[in-house]
Amino acid sequence: MVAESLAEWWHESARDLPWRFGRATPWGVLVSEVMSQQTQMSRVVPYWQAWMERWPDAAALADASKADVITAWGRLGYPRRALRLQECARMVADDYHDDLPRTYDELVALPGIGDYTASAVMSFAYGERIAVIDTNIRRVLSRVFLGAESRGGAASPAERALANRVLPEDSAARCRGFDRPSVVWNQSVMELGAVICTAKSPLCEQCPVAAECMFLANGRPGLGERRTRPHQRFRGTDRQVRGLVLNALRGLPDGRIAIDRKDIEALWSDHIQLDKCIASLDDDGLIEMLPDGSVRLPC
């Protein structure tokens, strides 16, 4: 009953994201998954569309300059992901003739690709029956089938066993990949966790599986006590300072490629923290430090 109810809800209510419903290449699906890590889907859409128009395949991204890649990443956050995605593109272009590999083991061997992303590509791009496990899916499965909150952190063996146990069989093998029961299940459970079965304020009155949910039946025990992802302070953190430096470099007028030391120091009053963040950006390959103290995006 849960799978049927979720599938009906998915077909009626799923957000019309441009990489869904078979409209994106496998490479485009992978890009969407990398961009969506720790980032709201609504923020990802315009970046993904601009990115795929500029670099529609791995080979195109592989040939781009690092400065262009970092600039195009914009405010998606965690910009090291952009360079790892380019490293991945180079391996796909060189070792796989620009065709994204089709096996889980080959996918997780690519730079920056872990279990979740590889599983998502196998399911969403190739229509393979494989359990996709992220924070939203773990929360929904734990609530619906166990009546308890997910504890967060890395997925436990018990959570992985549950995800595999409830994954529907794909008996209708001739249907389109994105319509196969296991794919619809992965997509719909993830979507439910993103828009309905949220961590702190689940909209149980709108949930298509409320009648089957053990968590709701038990009175939603412990709601809000264990957050599936800890709140991360941003203001005043190194992340904020690193972002200020990168945004300043992205916003340089045409013809100017570097920011001098005086302008850098104007970005943040704590120059000890600022210098630490500049050094970490340099270590990550996101900027280059020049002999005169100025910085620029890598060539």
Side-chain angles (χ1 to χ4, degrees):
M1 279 296 294
V2 174
E4 289 81 354
S5 298
L6 272 181
E8 182 179 353
W9 172 78
W10 167 260
H11 290 304
E12 293 177 353
S13 306
R15 290 171 293 177
D16 188 20
L17 302 175
W19 50 82
R20 286 178 170 173
F21 311 118
R23 293 177 297 179
T25 63
W27 176 253
V29 172
L30 183 140
V31 172
S32 75
E33 292 298 337
V34 174
M35 286 186 167
S36 299
Q37 293 168 12
Q38 302 185 57
T39 307
Q40 291 180 346
M41 289 284 195
S42 59
R43 291 183 57 203
V44 170
V45 171
Y47 285 102
W48 183 88
Q49 291 173 320
W51 187 283
M52 294 304 299
E53 182 175 349
R54 188 172 186 180
W55 301 306
D57 53 33
L61 180 60
D63 289 338
S65 72
K66 288 184 178 179
D68 285 346
V69 170
I70 294 169
T71 299
W73 196 256
R75 295 179 177 271
L76 283 174
Y78 303 97
R80 181 72 180 117
R81 288 181 294 166
L83 296 186
R84 293 290 280 169
L85 183 57
Q86 188 177 39
E87 292 173 26
C88 175
R90 288 172 178 153
M91 183 175 287
V92 171
D94 294 342
D95 296 352
Y96 295 97
H97 309 290
D98 205 26
D99 289 326
L100 195 66
R102 295 187 63 97
T103 70
Y104 175 89
D105 288 342
E106 289 174 309
L107 286 168
V108 294
L110 296 173
I113 305 303
D115 168 75
Y116 164 75
T117 303
S119 300
V121 170
M122 291 295 294
S123 178
F124 306 151
Y126 294 134
E128 298 292 338
R129 183 181 180 274
I130 185 171
V132 179
I133 303 173
D134 78 340
T135 299
N136 285 327
I137 287 178
R138 290 167 59 197
R139 180 170 61 253
V140 172
L141 296 185
S142 182
R143 286 176 174 175
V144 172
F145 293 102
L146 303 180
E149 287 280 40
S150 172
R151 292 181 177 271
S156 68
E159 287 176 318
R160 291 188 176 277
L162 173 62
N164 282 291
R165 186 168 68 252
V166 300
L167 185 68
E169 296 290 339
D170 287 338
S171 55
R174 289 180 294 176
C175 68
R176 295 169 297 181
F178 61 87
D179 277 337
R180 290 173 183 165
S182 68
V183 179
V184 171
W185 171 261
N186 286 327
Q187 294 266 36
S188 61
V189 175
M190 188 182 302
E191 184 85 341
L192 190 76
V195 302
I196 300 292
C197 193
T198 58
K200 293 193 296 181
S201 303
L203 305 175
C204 298
E205 67 280 1
Q206 300 178 27
C207 180
V209 295
E212 292 82 35
C213 179
M214 291 181 61
F215 185 67
L216 182 59
N218 292 342
R220 308 199 302 184
L223 177 63
E225 291 181 3
R226 300 191 196 102
R227 299 177 62 170
T228 53
R229 186 170 66 190
H231 177 69
Q232 297 179 338
R233 179 176 61 90
F234 179 73
R235 189 172 182 82
T237 62
D238 289 353
R239 275 190 62 211
Q240 182 183 14
V241 179
R242 284 165 56 102
L244 288 172
V245 174
L246 288 177
N247 289 336
L249 287 168
R250 294 186 188 108
L252 286 173
D254 291 342
R256 187 179 173 193
I257 63 170
I259 299 178
D260 61 30
R261 181 65 192 181
K262 181 179 179 181
D263 288 340
I264 292 172
E265 291 180 347
L267 295 173
W268 195 252
S269 59
D270 185 342
H271 293 166
I272 294 176
Q273 184 183 18
L274 178 64
D275 286 343
K276 180 179 71 171
C277 291
I278 289 173
S280 71
L281 288 168
D282 182 55
D283 289 342
D284 287 344
L286 293 168
I287 65 170
E288 292 179 356
M289 301 172 63
L290 304 179
D292 62 358
S294 60
V295 299
R296 70 181 182 186
L297 292 174
C299 297

